[in-house]
């Protein structure tokens, strides 16, 4: 009789623990993680950016470089280079594999060649001397899809964007200032310009989306 009571007691205790853990780990914990992931602007939904029509054009967390047909005015700011997936191509626009950080080290002649090609291309696009091109304009970020650029890189793009959009350079600089993020916690890192958000403010739209 006593053995039976102990056995039943163990079964009840085991089932109680199983039920409690099921509620906590199977329902309460996942629900809490789901709720926390959706707090704030940088939520698990990807921080989507919407144009004036309410259409999603990208994410504020992912740097996408707008491309315009050759010969047409270029009215948007450009992100950092995404790198390359080939040893003979300093640029790889539109190739998802280019987001992978390069394995070329500081002593690599291939990387040095890429940097020079990118510097020349950016200098020509922005109509500035090659020595005026900032470092982040010719090198990729660790993620390869950093949405931010330095204020210096944004500054050399202002005249081109102003001319292509018909805005004054002061107006474009004001937009850059609005979309410039300060140092993290006030002392970590450096100021950075969020290119996707800035381009939406300049009128970047989703061509395949129907206005709501």
């Amino acid at each position: 009789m006593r053995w039976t009571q102990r056995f039943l007691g163990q079964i009840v205790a085991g089932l109680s623990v199983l039920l409690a853990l099921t509620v906590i780990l199977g329902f309460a914990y996942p629900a809490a993680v789901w709720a926390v992931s959706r707090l704030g602007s940088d939520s698990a939904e990807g921080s989507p950016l919407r144009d004036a029509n309410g259409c999603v054009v990208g994410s504020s967390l992912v740097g996408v470089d707008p491309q315009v047909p050759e010969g047409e005015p270029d009215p948007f700011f450009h992100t950092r280079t995404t790198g390359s997936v080939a040893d003979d191509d300093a640029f790889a626009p539109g190739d998802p594999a280019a987001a992978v950080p390069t394995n070329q080290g500081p002593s690599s002649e291939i990387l040095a060649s890429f940097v020079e090609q990118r510097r020349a291309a950016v200098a020509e696009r922005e109509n500035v001397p090659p020595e005026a091109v900032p470092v982040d304009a010719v090198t990729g970020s660790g993620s390869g899809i950093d949405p931010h650029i330095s204020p210096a890189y944004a500054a050399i793009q202002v005249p081109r964007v102003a001319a292509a959009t018909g805005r004054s350079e002061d107006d474009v600089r004001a937009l850059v200032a609005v979309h410039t993020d300060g140092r993290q916690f006030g002392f970590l890192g450096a100021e950075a310009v969020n290119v996707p958000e800035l381009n939406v403010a300049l009128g970047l739209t989703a061509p395949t989306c129907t206005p709501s």
Side-chain angles (χ1 to χ4, degrees):
M1 186 66 177
R2 291 180 178 177
W3 178 87
T4 302
Q5 290 177 340
R6 288 198 300 270
F7 180 69
L8 291 175
Q10 291 175 352
I11 291 177
V12 172
L15 289 175
S16 299
V17 171
L18 177 62
L19 178 62
L21 291 177
T22 298
V23 172
I24 295 173
L25 300 179
F27 295 97
Y29 177 72
V33 171
W34 178 87
V36 170
S37 72
R38 279 149 181 79
L39 294 176
S41 59
D42 294 337
S43 71
E45 299 300 329
S47 299
L49 281 175
R50 298 182 182 275
D51 62 16
N53 296 321
C55 301
V56 175
V57 297
S59 168
S60 62
L61 304 178
V62 178
V64 178
D65 207 28
Q67 301 294 314
V68 297
E70 187 174 355
E72 292 189 8
D74 187 355
F76 300 115
F77 282 81
H78 291 276
T79 58
R80 299 180 67 171
T81 178
T82 55
S84 179
V85 293
D87 290 346
D88 58 352
D89 181 13
F91 302 92
D95 190 336
V100 179
T102 178
N103 60 359
Q104 302 296 332
S107 60
S108 167
E109 293 183 0
I110 294 175
L111 181 59
S113 173
F114 282 179
V115 167
E116 290 306 315
Q117 292 179 59
R118 294 165 182 166
R119 179 179 290 114
V122 172
E124 181 180 2
R125 186 187 71 205
E126 308 302 340
N127 194 28
V128 297
E131 57 269 20
V133 177
V135 172
D136 63 309
V138 297
T139 56
S141 65
S143 68
I145 51 175
D146 190 347
H148 295 94
I149 60 175
S150 67
Y153 188 20
I156 67 171
Q157 299 187 61
V158 166
R160 169 182 54 78
V161 172
T165 59
R167 298 170 179 259
S168 70
E169 292 189 14
D170 287 342
D171 286 345
V172 177
R173 289 191 187 95
L175 279 176
V176 171
V178 169
H179 296 284
T180 298
D181 299 329
R183 303 176 68 185
Q184 189 174 24
F185 307 124
F187 66 93
L188 293 178
E191 290 186 339
V193 180
N194 189 299
V195 174
E197 293 181 353
L198 177 57
N199 283 336
V200 169
L202 284 166
L204 181 64
T205 60
T208 60
C209 185
T210 302
S212 59

